[in-house]
Amino acid sequence: QVQLVESGGGLVQPGGSLRLSCAASGTLFSIDNMDWYRQAPGKERELVAGINSGARVNYSDSVKGRFTISRDNAKNTAYLQMNSLKPDDTAVYYCHADGVTALGWRDYWGQGTQVTVSS
């Protein structure tokens, strides 16, 4: 069984910063992609940023230049540094990862962490 545990969410003022972490544990032989999604009330879940095993990254247009995704392969952990936060960034942020497990290729979701940007 594989678990993704997110941390680092909270309340921050506009213009502030937060750093999210996503730690993967369990019988995961290798992790291919680690991504961050978010879902605001009444909206569909959307991809925010992704990073693959070769450290290639991609971002949604709405966060380019403000968010940075990174990963520590030794720790099976991904990070999302969020700067210049805006009220529109308010959402539940979910970590997603895929890779090879004892059961073959699988993908997993974390439980989500709330990010609220408000004055």
Side-chain angles (χ1 to χ4, degrees), residues 13-103:
Q13 292 187 342
S17 298
L18 283 174
R19 188 191 194 211
L20 306 183
S21 298
C22 171
S25 62
T27 311
L28 193 63
F29 296 148
S30 65
I31 301 176
D32 293 334
N33 302 295
M34 298 191 80
D35 313 295
W36 287 97
Y37 286 75
R38 68 185 180 187
Q39 188 166 20
K43 294 187 177 181
E44 292 187 355
R45 191 172 296 189
E46 63 172 353
L47 177 65
V48 175
I51 184 168
N52 68 10
S53 57
R56 176 172 289 186
V57 301
N58 62 283
Y59 298 97
S60 69
D61 288 343
S62 61
V63 306
K64 276 181 183 176
R66 299 188 298 120
F67 291 11
T68 302
I69 188 171
S70 61
R71 65 190 280 177
D72 184 334
N73 291 328
K75 296 181 179 179
N76 284 341
T77 299
Y79 306 96
L80 186 68
Q81 178 66 43
M82 305 185 295
N83 298 328
S84 302
L85 283 161
K86 306 174 182 179
D88 284 349
D89 296 317
T90 296
V92 178
Y93 284 70
Y94 296 92
C95 179
H96 173 262
D98 60 57
V100 179
T101 74
L103 301 176

